[in-house]
Amino acid sequence: MTATALRAGLIGLGSMGRHHARVLAGLDGVELVAVVDPMGDKNGWAQSAPCCPPSTS
């Protein structure tokens, strides 16, 4: 059996979300693929994952 990385998405980069992003990005076997936050990622907490605001439509 081939091991496949868990692809994780994160909602929110608030006081806890930024820690979740850091931990997820650092875990072996986990790929942080996207982050959604209404304020964007002005502090770079999403590591290298794309960050986008939620759709308002």
Side-chain angles (χ1 to χ4, degrees), residues 30-44:
V30 177
E31 179 185 4
L32 180 59
V33 295
V35 176
V36 176
D37 190 285
M39 302 301 289
D41 184 26
K42 57 187 169 199
N43 295 313

Side-chain angles (χ1 to χ4, degrees), residues 12-52:
L13 288 170
S15 61
M16 290 302 294
R18 59 183 170 195
H19 297 294
H20 292 310
R22 176 181 48 82
V23 170
L24 287 169
L27 286 174
D28 289 335
V30 177
E31 179 185 4
L32 180 59
V33 295
V35 176
V36 176
D37 190 285
M39 302 301 289
D41 184 26
K42 57 187 169 199
N43 295 313
W45 294 112
Q47 308 294 315
S48 60
C51 182
C52 56

